[in-house]
Amino acid sequence: MQALMFDKTGDLAALRLVERPDPVAQPGEAVVEVMAAGLNPSDVKNVLGFFPAYTKPPRIPGRDFAGVVRQGPPELIGRRVWGTGLDLGFAGDGVHADFVKLPAAGCAPMPGKLSFAEAAACGVPYTTAYDGLIRAGVGPGKKLVVIGGNGAVGRAALALGKAMGARVVAAARRQSRLAKLDALGYETLALGAPDDFAALVAGKCSGGADVIFEATGAWLPAAVAACAKRGAICVIAPPGMGQPTADFPVLEFYRRGLTLIGVNSLLNDTVASAKMLATFANWFDSGVLPPPPRPHSRPLREALAAYAEVDAGFSEKIVLVRESAE
């Protein structure tokens, strides 16, 4: 099979498109022909050496896939499945290849309403968002503010929050991004100075937001004052590159009785992720969840250039596809 591989970390130049033996399923495993594979910023950072606790080269990268089962339990053969998880691309070889081997229980039935490319764009963003929203108690009647709704995880948090019955507000700084979110039917909030954030949220949500999903890493201190009493803040990113800590208003956090939730998708393996994906599949097929934004497709032979695009700051979703599946 063709596979992307790196034998050292620290430089995208270590990535190579190589030929590898086709994987063979053992009992309890499945081999999936990868029709589409999501490319996440974390996949790029993995090659650059940001996750030494998880990843030991040589490694085939990539976590999110959609494809067809070719080996494994008889009841799975020929099924369209999707998946994601720590054991793909980080703790084990991943999905930026023609085939991938994983636990059979890590293969979730793919939504019938999504294409392979759309399904492959969902894994990390949707499981990350769902993990945080569930732990924060999002449900009917809750007021949810998502900061960074223009990114893949933020967009997933908006869609999932709405599907879970919350009143959802999308917060972003740029007018062009707000216009896109407004066109998708979300109530929007234009970000200004951090000191003004609490007042802006109060203007939308009387008493503050029950949950603030902070997808940028930059608004954590400001989010404290914008939360309702006994509210929650979900954090998926540090404040910035080389800045792993943030000044935090502990006294106000304590007085409001808030909960701070760290959301790390690398805590979920393929089997745990499959349970979440099964829920999303039902929601997509029933129309509760709208399809994700159409991703940009690149053939696997252009994977090196795609990695460079993401590293350079390309913010739209890219998936690597089999050319026959485009």
Side-chain angles (χ1 to χ4, degrees):
M1 69 174 182
Q2 291 280 297
L4 201 62
M5 177 165 277
F6 59 100
D7 55 11
K8 63 179 180 179
T9 60
D11 191 336
L12 290 184
L15 281 170
R16 295 173 295 124
L17 192 59
V18 300
E19 288 192 356
R20 297 282 297 166
D22 290 349
V24 176
Q26 301 301 316
E29 296 178 334
V31 170
V32 175
E33 182 178 6
V34 179
M35 297 301 182
L39 176 54
N40 296 294
S42 58
D43 298 321
V44 176
K45 291 178 180 178
N46 196 25
V47 179
L48 294 175
F50 281 65
F51 303 100
Y54 300 104
T55 303
K56 309 298 180 189
R59 181 71 72 232
I60 297 172
R63 280 193 277 171
D64 299 349
F65 74 89
V68 179
V69 179
R70 299 304 186 196
Q71 300 176 35
E75 65 274 14
L76 288 182
I77 301 297
R79 292 287 187 91
R80 291 158 57 101
V81 297
W82 59 340
T84 187
L86 165 67
D87 29 337
L88 299 176
F90 284 70
D93 279 337
V95 301
H96 291 169
D98 290 334
F99 297 92
V100 65
K101 181 172 71 172
L102 71 157
C107 296
M110 205 181 103
K113 287 189 175 181
L114 298 189
S115 67
F116 284 118
E118 288 171 330
C122 293
V124 166
Y126 278 75
T127 56
T128 301
Y130 186 73
D131 183 20
L133 297 179
I134 284 290
R135 290 165 59 200
V138 169
K142 293 290 186 178
K143 296 170 290 185
L144 168 67
V145 173
V146 178
I147 305 173
N150 51 289
V153 179
R155 286 194 300 266
L158 290 169
L160 288 166
K162 191 172 183 178
M164 295 162 73
R167 179 193 167 190
V168 176
V169 177
R173 188 182 293 277
R174 296 181 185 175
Q175 286 301 320
S176 59
R177 291 175 175 173
L178 290 168
K180 289 181 180 179
L181 292 164
D182 184 68
L184 292 171
Y186 294 113
E187 188 175 356
T188 59
L189 183 156
L191 294 171
D195 289 346
D196 298 331
F197 182 58
L200 290 171
V201 171
K204 295 282 186 179
C205 306
S206 177
D210 296 305
V211 178
I212 295 179
F213 195 97
E214 218 292 66
T216 71
W219 290 82
L220 174 57
V224 172
C227 264
K229 292 178 180 178
R230 296 187 174 87
I233 303 170
C234 297
V235 179
I236 70 164
M241 296 289 287
Q243 186 185 351
T245 62
D247 291 332
F248 190 75
V250 175
L251 182 60
E252 188 163 12
F253 177 84
Y254 149 75
R255 285 177 172 170
R256 289 175 179 268
L258 304 183
T259 300
L260 184 63
I261 299 170
V263 187
N264 177 9
S265 63
L266 290 172
L267 296 176
N268 297 312
D269 63 12
T270 53
V271 176
S273 297
K275 295 175 182 178
M276 290 186 270
L277 292 171
T279 296
F280 308 152
N282 291 332
W283 288 357
F284 279 122
D285 283 340
S286 68
V288 173
L289 271 178
R294 186 174 180 84
H296 296 256
S297 295
R298 306 281 191 272
L300 184 62
R301 57 183 166 80
E302 296 179 11
L304 299 177
Y307 267 74
E309 281 186 85
V310 175
D311 189 43
F314 186 68
S315 60
E316 300 297 320
K317 188 69 177 180
I318 293 177
V319 295
L320 305 175
V321 298
R322 269 193 181 275
E323 292 179 71
S324 61
E326 287 187 86

